[in-house]
Each structure stands twice: as C-alpha cells, then as structure tokens.
Amino acid sequence: MPQVFKRHNILFSDEEWDLITEKAKELKISVSEFIRKTMTKEIQERDSQDLLNYINENCEYVSPKEEEEIIRMLEGIDLDDDSDAVEVTVDDILQG
C-alpha cells in the first residue's frame, strides 16, 4: 500500500524561504523533503532533551564508590549476548 502524505500550508518570510531553499539546493533535495527531515530531527532531539532534563532534575549523582561498583558490574556484561535481555521503556522506569 503506498504511503499517504498529509498536506499543510505554511507561510515563510522571504528571509526564511531563502534560507530553506538554499539549504535544500545545497543538499540536493526538495524543499518539502528538507522541511520534513528537519522537523522530524528537531522533534526527536527535543524528545531526547526532555528525557535528559528529566534525568538531570530527578536523578542524583552516585558516589565514587557506587560508580566503581557499577563500572565493575558493567565490565562483566557481554553486550553481544542478549539471550536473557528484556526491553524496558521509559514508562517502565518512571512507573517503577
């Protein structure tokens, strides 16, 4: 089934339009594709930043001793072996 796109009209100032069209030309993509990609990236970065802000506001730093223990524990983990791995979402962590 072909992908369905939504349409929305956006007004840009001359300065904004020039900036957008020049960058799209530089990247050799259409203005529409440039705007789609740029907005998607911006949303993802803001979502990541929101998580970072939450962590910074709600999580304390560990003591040097705890940090050493965590590092030792992590060194013993085989990252290539995911046989008993469990996927955890941010909601899982926040809900405890």
Side-chain angles (χ1 to χ4, degrees):
M1 186 162 143
Q3 188 172 5
V4 178
F5 289 93
K6 305 291 184 199
R7 179 180 294 270
H8 186 86
N9 291 329
I10 303 172
L11 301 175
F12 295 103
S13 69
D14 288 338
E15 184 178 294
E16 291 168 331
W17 183 251
D18 290 343
L19 184 66
I20 291 167
T21 56
E22 285 301 313
K23 186 51 97 172
K25 284 180 193 175
E26 179 184 314
L27 297 172
K28 297 183 172 123
I29 59 176
S30 69
V31 169
S32 297
E33 185 176 0
F34 174 73
I35 293 171
R36 272 194 307 274
K37 286 182 174 185
T38 302
M39 292 313 301
T40 300
K41 182 179 177 186
E42 175 70 18
I43 291 167
Q44 291 168 343
E45 286 177 0
R46 284 183 184 217
D47 286 348
S48 295
Q49 186 61 42
D50 288 345
L51 176 58
L52 177 61
N53 288 339
Y54 176 86
I55 290 170
N56 285 337
E57 291 172 8
N58 296 287
C59 299
E60 296 178 16
Y61 287 96
V62 297
S63 70
K65 182 179 177 183
E66 287 176 300
E67 183 178 0
E68 288 176 23
E69 290 174 9
I70 292 169
I71 291 172
R72 273 197 306 275
M73 181 184 72
L74 292 174
E75 288 173 343
I77 295 175
D78 180 3
L79 297 177
D80 294 324
D81 178 16
D82 62 356
S83 59
D84 58 344
V86 177
E87 184 173 343
V88 178
T89 67
V90 173
D91 288 336
D92 295 333
I93 294 169
L94 296 177
Q95 293 174 6

